[in-house]
Amino acid sequence: MSASRRSGTTDELGPDEPERDGPEGSDGGGFDLLAALLDGMDAALCAFDADGVVTHWNREAERILGWSAAEAVGRHGFAGWAVRKADAEEVEGRLLSAMHAPGRQVHEFALLTKDGGRVLVRTQSAAVRGPDGKPAGLYCAFSEVHAQIDLERSIALSEALFEDASWGVVLVDADLRPAVVNAHAARLLGTGRTAVLGRPLGELLSQGVEELEGALTHVLAEGAPPAPAEMWVSVRTPEGEKRRCWRSGFLRLASPLTEEPVPLGVGWLFQDVTEAKQIEQDAAQLRFRSQQLHRAARAAAEYEDPAEAATIHLDFALAGFADHALIDRIAVIGGEAADGTADDGDGPVRLVRAAATPSGAPGPSVLAGQAGLPVRYGDGHPAVQAVERSGSVRASAGSYAAEQARAWAVQRRWPPDSVHALCAVLRSRGRTLGVVTFLRGAGRSQFERTDAMYAEDVAARIAVALDLAGLGERDLRERDPKQEGPSPQRS
């Protein structure tokens, strides 16, 4: 309990002595309120009158130094009990100087505890002025230096996080809306710091909102997860949507002023790791595709029929790359060479289906029939363009609706669920043998340049196998002129 000594005609008050002046419920109630406020402070507080006599001493001061209010109130300064005699003059001089200085004065010095120990404290002192404006005393709030330093570090950390941090920091309230956003987070979200506040996350992100809100709800209910989480989101920006990967950590925020923890929201810290993830994914994809090419080469080497070996290369290439694939061999009307390759004539291009994957249920590629009927590709078809350019051609249904995309695929003689296509030309020994087409459905992304490079590697291996098959057919015809058409289908 605090004790005080008030100016005027009132006598000194001890810790257990009731207020005696004024009617009940008037001045006494005001004094009780003042005593309760002083005792409820988190900081230690003492006050001196103009002569340097202690007039107030609260519970926190008693906790730090061990001296009770009854033992402290009425003493002149700290000399001989709260400060060593050798230091008393300096300490009191620094404290009392606050009565004649503007604002607050901050000092650090050692005080003595009741059991003889020493405590380094940091004090803030300021003058208390009377009705005439002259100094009537001073108050001194103090706390242990290490506690003060911890508080200052916490404040400095908060300010640094919201100003200079290289991580995005967002405080999300219990309604899952941003309450505080630092500069780095605002840049990652593609907007200003104040423009983000109070807005639903769905207005900032077009994809990944459900996953993020689910994580925030979990943290509010269960607490922080044991490790960061990587989330892919699409951010709405003035330039359009941007696909980003954010490595995120979450902290549940609870009020320190209540006995029971009351959730104030979630601290969300995140960093953009899109480039690192893309490099990691590209490296993993490159390793997998290299392994597939190696496995395909070993498997194809065990087949006697080169045409079957070509389909093996096709099957291995499909894994993780495409949903369907077609192999079309080339011929030229009026100028078809004996080995089935195009000569230098100027006739129109004709493509004949050599192999294809099932368009319904998934399964291995199968060789086409022996009829050799041309595929009815129209002018400007991507496969025809690939042959004419001797290079790869990419095509996509783009933003078509589902029915329009289906019509787009059917018109090009592809399976109806095809949305993206990549045609790679088949060349061997300086000649164009045909084209291989890889097709993706709506659940996959468009073919990129790196996909075209992989398709060209696969096409080179298929072309070698088809070239070898053509040489075998030519030798067979030379031995038996009655033998025509492609090699028999595999069983």
Side-chain angles (χ1 to χ4, degrees):
M1 179 181 291
S2 68
S4 69
R5 183 182 186 177
R6 304 197 309 173
S7 61
T9 59
T10 306
D11 295 334
E12 179 183 330
L13 296 177
D16 298 319
E17 188 175 353
E19 177 78 315
R20 290 178 299 181
D21 63 327
E24 182 179 355
S26 57
D27 290 350
F31 177 76
D32 291 341
L33 175 61
L34 175 61
L37 290 174
L38 294 179
D39 282 339
M41 293 177 62
D42 292 332
L45 184 136
C46 65
F48 301 86
D49 62 16
D51 297 326
V53 177
V54 178
T55 60
H56 293 79
W57 191 265
N58 72 347
R59 289 183 185 273
E60 185 65 12
E62 179 179 348
R63 186 193 68 78
I64 294 176
L65 298 180
W67 300 97
S68 66
E71 295 170 316
V73 172
R75 291 179 179 268
H76 190 284
F78 286 155
W81 63 286
V83 176
R84 295 190 311 172
K85 291 183 179 180
D87 301 330
E89 182 178 355
E90 178 188 358
V91 170
E92 291 183 9
R94 292 164 67 183
L95 283 176
L96 296 177
S97 66
M99 280 195 290
H100 306 285
R104 292 180 297 174
Q105 302 293 311
V106 179
H107 302 286
E108 289 184 5
F109 44 76
L111 296 181
L112 293 178
T113 62
K114 187 176 182 179
D115 58 8
R118 301 183 71 193
V119 178
L120 183 63
V121 299
R122 177 174 296 177
T123 65
Q124 294 188 33
S125 305
V128 177
R129 302 190 180 278
D132 57 358
K134 295 181 179 181
L138 64 90
Y139 75 85
C140 175
F142 63 92
S143 60
E144 298 175 79
V145 167
H146 68 82
Q148 183 71 19
I149 292 176
D150 289 344
L151 175 61
E152 292 179 1
R153 283 174 178 162
S154 298
I155 296 173
L157 174 61
S158 299
E159 293 181 350
L161 285 175
F162 286 104
E163 294 297 336
D164 305 322
S166 59
W167 281 64
V169 181
V170 179
L171 298 189
V172 182
D173 62 20
D175 295 328
L176 306 185
R177 299 194 179 202
V180 185
V181 178
N182 76 340
H184 191 80
R187 287 194 297 270
L188 294 180
L189 291 169
T191 184
R193 294 181 65 176
T194 57
V196 180
L197 304 183
R199 295 174 59 184
L201 294 173
E203 294 183 5
L204 305 172
L205 307 175
S206 59
Q207 294 182 4
V209 180
E210 296 82 2
E211 183 180 6
L212 177 58
E213 290 184 342
L216 295 172
T217 302
H218 173 81
V219 173
L220 280 172
E222 304 293 336
E230 292 179 351
M231 299 182 178
W232 284 93
V233 299
S234 291
V235 184
R236 291 190 174 99
T237 66
E239 296 78 20
E241 295 185 0
K242 293 184 177 180
R243 183 77 169 160
R244 313 304 296 172
C245 181
W246 290 342
R247 180 174 293 131
S248 303
F250 303 94
L251 298 170
R252 181 167 63 177
L253 306 179
S255 173
L257 303 179
T258 57
E259 295 182 2
E260 294 294 332
V262 177
L264 298 178
V266 177
W268 172 31
L269 293 82
F270 61 102
Q271 189 177 35
D272 194 318
V273 294
T274 307
E275 293 183 4
K277 291 299 294 183
Q278 288 177 341
I279 292 174
E280 179 182 331
Q281 291 177 353
D282 291 345
Q285 184 184 79
L286 180 60
R287 287 194 300 270
F288 175 75
R289 290 179 175 178
S290 298
Q291 292 172 356
Q292 288 297 97
L293 291 174
H294 175 72
R295 295 185 183 120
R298 290 176 60 89
E302 302 301 322
Y303 283 83
E304 182 179 357
D305 185 356
E308 291 185 348
T311 63
I312 294 300
H313 284 291
L314 195 65
D315 292 337
F316 273 90
L318 280 178
F321 183 68
D323 299 317
H324 304 290
L326 314 168
I327 298 178
D328 297 320
R329 298 188 67 171
I330 192 173
V332 179
I333 296 177
E336 184 175 0
D339 59 359
T341 62
D343 62 10
D344 294 332
D346 296 328
V349 174
R350 182 180 69 177
L351 293 172
V352 178
R353 182 62 42 82
T357 56
S359 58
S365 305
V366 294
L367 294 171
Q370 302 181 21
L373 297 176
V375 184
R376 293 180 299 164
Y377 288 152
D379 294 338
H381 190 280
V384 176
Q385 292 182 19
V387 173
E388 292 174 345
R389 300 176 184 177
S390 294
S392 299
V393 175
R394 286 176 282 172
S396 177
S399 58
Y400 286 165
E403 289 301 323
Q404 292 176 314
R406 184 182 181 88
W408 177 85
V410 172
Q411 183 182 6
R412 287 157 180 76
R413 309 298 173 183
W414 291 332
D417 57 345
S418 301
V419 176
H420 311 295
L422 172 59
C423 300
V425 68
L426 303 175
R427 288 185 61 82
S428 176
R429 294 189 296 155
R431 296 170 301 167
T432 299
L433 304 181
V435 62
V436 57
T437 302
F438 295 99
L439 301 168
R440 288 178 176 175
R444 295 178 181 264
S445 61
Q446 297 184 19
F447 288 100
E448 303 293 341
R449 177 55 191 159
T450 55
D451 298 324
M453 294 172 64
Y454 177 63
E456 290 166 0
D457 286 343
V458 176
R461 297 166 186 258
I462 293 175
V464 171
L466 292 181
D467 194 10
L468 183 60
L471 292 175
E473 293 171 7
R474 185 179 63 183
D475 292 343
L476 181 62
R477 286 194 298 268
E478 290 176 352
R479 291 194 300 268
D480 185 3
K482 296 180 181 181
Q483 181 69 32
E484 296 180 355
S487 59
Q489 274 187 296
R490 57 178 172 176
S491 58

